[in-house]
């Protein structure tokens, strides 16, 4: 059972069968994925889902977890939930979220984005 912050223990996370990202170090963006996440939409924390107008539903399963190195108790696995672009209030997304959603939209329809054209 998750703790008050909604974080899971290793055994609880493994029982879900969801993917998990283990970073190389605290705050690192590099590490290893165990499993895979959907190629469309975006994975967000419970709090971020609510902030963007798409709150997590009761009994909704996480699609992935991220291991938090800096947490010193057993509840180190933060759940992330899948959301599609049309479910979100796009006026409230940050630059990184918007960039990811736009890139995913371009991949879905096979379009090239401006950065892809410059690299080609």
């Amino acid at each position: 059972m998750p703790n008050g912050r909604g974080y899971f223990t290793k055994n609880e996370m493994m029982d879900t069968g969801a993917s998990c990202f283990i970073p190389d170090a605290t705050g690192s963006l590099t590490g290893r994925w165990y499993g895979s996440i959907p190629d469309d939409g975006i994975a967000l924390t419970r709090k971020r889902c609510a902030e963007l107008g798409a709150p997590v539903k009761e009994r909704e399963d996480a699609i992935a977890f991220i291991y938090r190195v800096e947490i010193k108790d057993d509840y180190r696995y933060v759940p992330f939930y899948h959301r599609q672009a049309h479910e979100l209030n796009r006026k409230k997304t940050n630059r990184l979220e918007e960039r990811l959603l736009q890139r995913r939209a371009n991949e879905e329809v096979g379009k090239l984005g401006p950065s892809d054209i410059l690299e080609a």
Side-chain angles (χ1 to χ4, degrees):
M1 175 156 233
N3 67 3
R5 295 179 69 185
Y7 295 3
F8 288 63
T9 64
K10 181 178 182 179
N11 287 338
E12 290 168 341
M13 179 275 301
M14 291 177 70
D15 286 346
T16 69
S19 301
C20 183
F21 180 76
I22 309 292
D24 292 331
T26 301
S28 175
L29 296 177
T30 60
R32 175 179 282 176
W33 272 105
Y34 295 91
S36 60
I37 59 173
D39 290 333
D40 62 341
I42 190 169
L44 300 167
T45 63
R46 176 181 297 274
K47 179 179 177 182
R48 196 67 184 134
C49 286
E51 291 171 351
L52 296 177
V56 174
K57 296 173 180 63
E58 190 175 327
R59 299 188 186 272
E60 181 176 351
D61 293 327
I63 59 153
F65 291 85
I66 292 184
Y67 178 78
R68 296 280 307 266
V69 177
E70 69 277 7
I71 296 176
K72 301 301 180 203
D73 64 23
D74 290 339
Y75 292 89
R76 295 181 175 195
Y77 295 85
V78 182
F80 281 72
Y81 301 89
H82 185 255
R83 293 293 180 267
Q84 296 288 345
H86 69 272
E87 297 176 282
L88 305 173
N89 180 345
R90 299 286 287 270
K91 293 179 182 177
K92 294 183 178 181
T93 55
N94 63 37
R95 291 179 78 199
L96 180 61
E97 293 163 341
E98 193 58 35
R99 184 174 176 189
L100 177 62
L101 290 168
Q102 287 175 358
R103 176 171 275 168
R104 297 271 171 95
N106 288 343
E107 289 172 1
E108 288 174 11
V109 295
K111 293 188 224 171
L112 293 176
S115 62
D116 298 320
I117 293 169
L118 294 174
E119 294 171 6

